[in-house]
Amino acid sequence: MATFDNTEVRQTYRSTLVEELRASGSRLVGGLEIMLPQNFGFCWGVDRALAMVEEARRVYVGRPMWLIGSIIHNPRVNADLRSKGIGFLKGSFATEGALEKLSENDVVIVPAFSATVEDMNDLRARGVTIVDTTCPWVIKPHKRTLKYLKEGFTTVIHGTVGHEETAATCSLIESEGGHYVVVYSIEEAEVLASFLEGQCDEQAMRSGIRGGSFSPGLKVDVDLQRLGVINQTTMLASESRAIGDRLKLALQARDGEVAYEDNFRDFDTICRATQDNQDAAAAVADTQPDLYLVVGGYDSSNTKNLARVGRRLGVPAFHIEGPHCIGDKLQHRDHTSGEILEEGAWLPSKRPLRVAFTAGASTPDAVLGEVIEGLVEFAGETLVI
Ligand code: SF4
């Protein structure tokens, strides 16, 4: 399965409206100007993972098929796979006891964001057939962290504790006897930098960085001497760069201008699709639309960061999951607290009104199209497709 054909996937999730808008970039609908960025939606890695699932369904027809958890972070896509008879081994849709009963006849799909070393070892021990859809971009931080480990560096991961990709990276480091620190934001990196510069003690540093961020048994006096930075592939690229720069400054301050070079490494592992989507989202936000709706699963890291791109450029950007979020109150994920909130009076009454949309790398065009149609209808305009 080295090559893949995404025709079927794209056909399943196509939207005529989005295709039109992708070609034109914008469209006037009554008093609304609807805008889309140059890059958005399904990335190469998602296309590939879903095409691999369809191929596996053809090759292993009749055999029980499972996902460890979500294939990608989109509720529509995961529901579609469940409706095709693919079970879940973990998470809220898990079939009770299925994991323990796996045997040689079962087929297990590893998601695009990879799996932990423990899960992979368990699957191999049970003799199941493994369909590994791990995105090649996710392998990049894995390779880099193994290089750091070989050279005696502790890995600093700009990522989200609990996200499948970062959990897999952490488990890889642990399995090789190495250490890591996960920082979620520039604020958490600042706490780590302050400790490295001797401005706070270990307790303050550990409590200033969210729980679960340190490898078990990490000794700060030994394991924070040499640091190599990587990023979860879907983080905010500008923030990743700022984190690398801040930690470099901290080691320069601690070790001196020359000596720090032996103790610091920084390697950009943001994936191309994330970078392209963020750049395109920023270009649209730069035109200062009146409203920016960012569509994607609430647990989708790259979608969360697209919303942050809009907010950082001063645009009222909302991360919403789908058409069901549009109504008198807009359901959205708060970009700072992560809570799912409802916003009243969210649609400005002024006309003309410039509304931009974008979608995460795991968001089907069909869902984005339904959101645009929902917004137009809610605004009292008529869309002719
Ligand atoms: S967002 Fe990037 S890393 Fe994730 S599946 Fe897509 S291409 Fe791969």
Side-chain angles (χ1 to χ4, degrees):
M1 290 193 195
T3 57
F4 70 95
D5 176 0
N6 68 354
T7 314
E8 188 180 343
V9 172
R10 289 290 170 137
Q11 191 61 31
T12 303
Y13 292 113
R14 73 180 288 234
S15 158
T16 312
L17 172 61
V18 171
E19 282 166 11
E20 273 180 28
L21 282 164
R22 185 176 261 122
S24 62
S26 68
R27 178 170 166 182
L28 286 172
V29 181
L32 301 177
E33 184 187 358
I34 296 168
M35 297 178 285
L36 279 181
Q38 218 166 16
N39 292 294
F40 59 90
F42 272 9
C43 61
W44 180 88
V46 164
D47 270 340
R48 176 178 173 273
L50 296 181
M52 287 177 78
V53 172
E54 290 310 314
E55 176 67 4
R57 290 180 68 235
R58 280 189 284 274
V59 171
Y60 303 115
V61 66
R63 289 173 60 180
M65 190 167 283
W66 304 93
L67 275 159
I68 299 176
S70 302
I71 180 81
I72 55 172
H73 286 145
N74 188 269
R76 171 84 57 96
V77 173
N78 288 305
D80 286 349
L81 295 183
R82 287 197 303 281
S83 73
K84 290 175 179 174
I86 301 178
F88 277 49
L89 297 171
K90 293 186 178 185
S92 45
F93 295 104
T95 303
E96 206 180 326
L99 187 56
E100 294 72 27
K101 288 184 199 143
L102 287 176
S103 67
E104 285 88 349
N105 193 39
D106 291 284
V107 177
V108 179
I109 298 158
V110 174
F113 14 67
S114 181
T116 63
V117 172
E118 296 75 28
D119 280 345
M120 293 304 288
N121 287 343
D122 187 36
L123 295 177
R124 288 188 196 106
R126 290 174 189 278
V128 304
T129 298
I130 296 172
V131 177
D132 189 352
T133 76
T134 300
C135 176
W137 283 95
V138 170
I139 305 291
K140 211 170 145 189
H142 290 180
K143 283 188 177 162
R144 181 56 50 167
T145 198
L146 290 177
K147 185 171 174 1
Y148 285 159
L149 194 58
K150 209 169 145 199
E151 294 170 354
F153 287 80
T154 286
T155 302
V156 177
I157 305 168
H158 176 211
T160 308
V161 171
H163 185 285
E164 292 91 332
E165 181 190 324
T166 291
T169 308
C170 291
S171 83
L172 178 65
I173 297 169
E174 279 183 51
S175 73
E176 295 290 326
H179 286 286
Y180 59 81
V181 181
V182 184
V183 290
Y184 174 65
S185 60
I186 186 67
E187 289 78 18
E188 290 193 353
E190 182 59 41
V191 174
L192 177 60
S194 297
F195 174 77
L196 295 169
E197 291 169 349
Q199 293 174 29
C200 71
D201 62 17
E202 179 178 354
Q203 195 186 1
M205 188 264 291
R206 283 185 181 266
S207 61
I209 299 176
R210 66 165 66 182
S213 297
F214 300 90
S215 52
L218 178 135
K219 294 188 182 69
V220 294
D221 49 340
V222 179
D223 300 315
L224 297 185
Q225 288 307 306
R226 307 186 83 200
L227 299 178
V229 182
I230 60 168
N231 340 105
Q232 185 181 307
T233 51
T234 50
M235 300 306 277
L236 189 61
S238 56
E239 189 169 37
S240 286
R241 284 191 287 275
I243 286 170
D245 290 346
R246 180 65 188 94
L247 293 176
K248 178 178 161 184
L249 275 179
L251 288 205
Q252 279 174 333
R254 186 191 72 183
D255 302 339
E257 278 291 334
V258 178
Y260 96 91
E261 288 188 11
D262 282 339
N263 297 333
F264 182 74
R265 297 285 182 274
D266 188 8
F267 192 78
D268 181 359
T269 50
I270 299 287
C271 82
R272 172 72 60 79
T274 295
Q275 182 72 68
D276 288 350
N277 285 358
Q278 287 176 10
D279 290 347
V284 169
D286 266 339
T287 70
Q288 295 293 303
D290 300 304
L291 180 67
Y292 208 157
L293 294 183
V294 180
V295 186
Y298 285 142
D299 47 4
S300 163
S301 169
N302 77 86
T303 309
K304 291 174 196 172
N305 286 317
L306 288 176
R308 291 175 76 201
V309 166
R311 288 273 166 180
R312 285 185 167 207
L313 291 169
V315 174
F318 294 97
H319 176 178
I320 68 172
E321 205 165 54
H324 62 280
C325 298
I326 293 180
D328 290 337
K329 292 191 172 171
L330 182 77
Q331 187 202 84
H332 68 104
R333 180 190 177 278
D334 185 76
H335 67 288
T336 46
S337 70
E339 285 178 67
I340 308 306
L341 305 176
E342 289 192 331
E343 185 94 0
W346 57 277
L347 187 68
S349 55
K350 68 175 266 222
R351 297 291 185 274
L353 185 72
R354 300 174 68 240
V355 186
F357 296 84
T358 188
S362 47
T363 308
D365 278 2
V367 174
L368 174 60
E370 289 165 23
V371 166
I372 297 171
E373 287 170 18
L375 180 283
V376 170
E377 190 183 335
F378 186 72
E381 303 288 358
T382 304
L383 185 64
V384 181
I385 302 171

